[in-house]
Amino acid sequence: MSAPDGSPVGAERSIGQLFASATADMSALVHDEIALAKAQLKQDVKRGATSGGAFTAAGVLLLFSLPMLNFALAYGIRTWSGWNLALCFLLSFAANVLVAAVLALIGVVFAKKAKKGQGPQKVAASMKETAGVLQKAKPHPRPELPEDRVPPAIEAVARSSS
């Protein structure tokens, strides 16, 4: 049986090995934190792009559909109801404004979600917390063993294998 770094269980590791192991672990932690920040930032950008797309669609719809839809809708209302043509044009314009308002509300919802996303701030706080914990970390003092005595972990392994 061996420890994660490949050394036998119960064997004393040198300060250099401990430092190398801690450095490797810290490097992996920093890389994982950066990957998390990238993933959260990508999600926030996607939400922002969706919001921008909805606002753009609302504007394009309102701009390009007004002449064509207003004429078609106004003449359709007049044919169906027999009302005055001016009133029919007002109703067709109101329908276009209603559709544009719905698309704008969708854009607002996605903009709020993108603004609410605190991905990079969460990662930065997590990294500060990790750094604070590592700065306060102190090695545990080891009791001095007599030179003729073997550490208990090695004795237990020796007894269990016989």
Side-chain angles (χ1 to χ4, degrees):
M1 187 173 196
S2 63
D5 66 349
S7 63
V9 173
E12 293 291 324
R13 295 179 1 187
S14 70
I15 297 292
Q17 289 171 329
L18 291 172
F19 186 75
S21 176
T23 303
D25 290 344
M26 182 58 113
S27 175
L29 178 64
V30 168
H31 286 291
D32 290 344
E33 295 273 357
I34 290 170
L36 176 63
K38 285 181 181 179
Q40 289 175 341
L41 190 59
K42 184 178 179 182
Q43 184 179 20
D44 289 345
V45 167
K46 189 182 287 186
R47 284 183 181 150
T50 304
S51 171
F55 280 126
T56 301
V60 167
L61 176 71
L62 187 60
L63 182 65
F64 291 122
S65 71
L66 284 178
M68 198 173 358
L69 289 177
N70 282 339
F71 279 107
L73 189 58
Y75 282 111
I77 292 172
R78 180 172 169 85
T79 302
W80 176 70
S81 68
W83 292 344
N84 186 356
L85 192 57
L87 182 61
C88 295
F89 272 103
L90 281 174
L91 287 174
S92 67
F93 175 73
N96 286 328
V97 169
L98 182 66
V99 170
V102 168
L103 287 173
L105 285 175
I106 291 170
V108 167
V109 167
F110 277 101
K112 284 183 180 181
K113 283 184 180 180
K115 189 176 183 181
K116 225 188 263 187
Q118 300 285 326
Q121 290 84 355
K122 288 179 187 176
V123 172
S126 173
M127 290 181 78
K128 284 180 183 177
E129 182 181 337
T130 302
V133 167
L134 290 175
Q135 286 176 349
K136 295 176 185 175
K138 296 178 183 171
H140 294 286
R142 293 181 177 244
E144 292 294 324
L145 293 176
E147 288 184 27
D148 62 335
R149 182 149 188 270
V150 179
I154 295 177
E155 281 182 14
V157 170
R159 271 188 258 134
S160 66
S161 62
S162 10

